[in-house]
Amino acid sequence: GNSVTQMEGPVTLSEEAFLTINCTYTATGYPSLFWYVQYPGEGLQLLLKATKADDKGSNKGFEATYRKETTSFHLEKGSVQVSDSAVYFCALRGLSGGGADGLTFGKGTHLIIQP
Amino acid sequence: EAQVTQNPRYLITVTGKKLTVTCSQNMNHEYMSWYRQDPGLGLRQIYYSMNVEVTDKGDVPEGYKVSRKEKRNFPLILESPSPNQTSLYFCASSFTRTGRALRTEAFFGQGTRLTVV
């Protein structure tokens, strides 16, 4: 079945540091890939997505590129801010697996940005 | 505005007292589901519904019930809550898994933090 693997953290960085959160996946076919963000006390919000190989999703300074050859979708940001502190979930949606809607989530990465 | 609305946001209850968490979406999505989020375990699916009157168990269905009488609503029912059901619950909706729909995301509610004492 499908699976998503990401570092769980917590990941602690100083403000303005470069961020990478690794995400790799296993899936049949050609899934769509997503990053969701959960700010403290809130629900999951879509951060960005990519629906085919070599697509780059971007939003709020975050970027991730769909790499089919390495089955990866790493999240990057050039200069993080304290307000980026949150839990980040990598997810995929495909034709098989994942509770009938094809959604499979990683366990989430807790990111802490210190001033 | 497209949204998934859950109520209540916070709930403290006692063991054995039946409760219902409501979920409503305004996007005409066929698919709705419930997750619980626990530290170190990520999101785990409780129940899902492919459409009206069609529901099925997810990964952790024990102790929960759902119903889908209308397309927009998908309540989660705890008939006899126990302390191990203390958790953060999320409702989500999306279009069903067909072709173009696979390129669309799931939408989540704001969450319900449940404490059972």
Side-chain angles (χ1 to χ4, degrees):
Chain A
N2 296 344
S3 67
V4 175
T5 302
Q6 61 180 114
M7 57 174 73
E8 290 183 38
V11 174
T12 304
L13 296 172
S14 297
E15 204 165 22
E16 299 184 3
F18 184 87
L19 169 70
T20 300
I21 300 178
N22 289 339
C23 171
T24 57
Y25 68 90
T26 302
T28 54
Y30 301 92
S32 296
L33 302 173
F34 306 89
W35 276 101
Y36 282 85
V37 59
Q38 182 183 27
Y39 298 106
E42 297 186 13
L44 276 73
Q45 307 172 23
L46 181 69
L47 181 60
L48 53 84
K49 70 179 183 182
T51 58
K52 61 182 187 295
D54 300 324
D55 266 3
K56 177 186 284 187
S58 61
N59 186 25
K60 299 182 181 180
F62 291 89
E63 292 183 341
T65 301
Y66 188 149
R67 301 283 188 204
K68 188 156 180 66
E69 64 277 13
T70 55
T71 61
S72 65
F73 193 52
H74 304 322
L75 182 68
E76 296 181 335
K77 187 174 184 181
S79 175
V80 292
Q81 307 299 314
V82 171
S83 57
D84 293 327
S85 298
V87 180
Y88 293 80
F89 291 89
C90 184
L92 69 82
R93 195 167 189 211
L95 282 172
S96 63
D101 65 342
L103 260 180
T104 302
F105 286 91
K107 289 195 172 181
T109 301
H110 187 194
L111 176 65
I112 301 169
I113 306 301
Q114 296 178 332
Chain B
E1 180 190 354
Q3 60 184 7
V4 178
T5 304
Q6 288 178 235
N7 280 296
R9 293 288 308 276
Y10 302 93
L11 179 60
I12 301 174
T13 190
V14 296
T15 300
K17 185 176 180 183
K18 180 178 178 180
L19 66 91
T20 299
V21 183
T22 63
C23 173
S24 180
Q25 52 92 6
N26 63 1
M27 295 165 279
N28 202 35
H29 285 160
E30 302 92 358
Y31 189 94
M32 297 185 74
S33 59
W34 278 101
Y35 293 86
R36 61 179 289 175
Q37 183 182 17
D38 301 290
L41 297 176
L43 289 165
R44 293 181 293 169
Q45 193 174 56
I46 302 169
Y47 266 95
Y48 62 90
S49 170
M50 298 287 283
N51 214 325
V52 176
E53 302 292 359
V54 180
T55 64
D56 208 344
K57 297 176 181 178
D59 299 319
V60 288
E62 294 78 20
Y64 305 94
K65 284 175 57 177
V66 293
S67 69
R68 187 89 182 274
K69 294 183 170 57
E70 305 164 284
K71 197 172 187 178
R72 63 183 293 124
N73 296 324
F74 190 46
L76 179 69
I77 303 156
L78 284 72
E79 294 270 4
S80 182
S82 62
N84 65 11
Q85 292 178 298
T86 292
S87 187
L88 180 58
Y89 292 86
F90 289 102
C91 179
S93 75
S94 65
F95 291 111
T96 49
R97 181 178 49 191
T98 56
R100 185 177 305 174
L102 285 175
R103 298 195 285 275
T104 62
E105 65 270 26
F107 290 77
F108 284 80
Q110 291 289 84
T112 296
R113 185 164 292 283
L114 172 67
T115 302
V116 183
V117 298

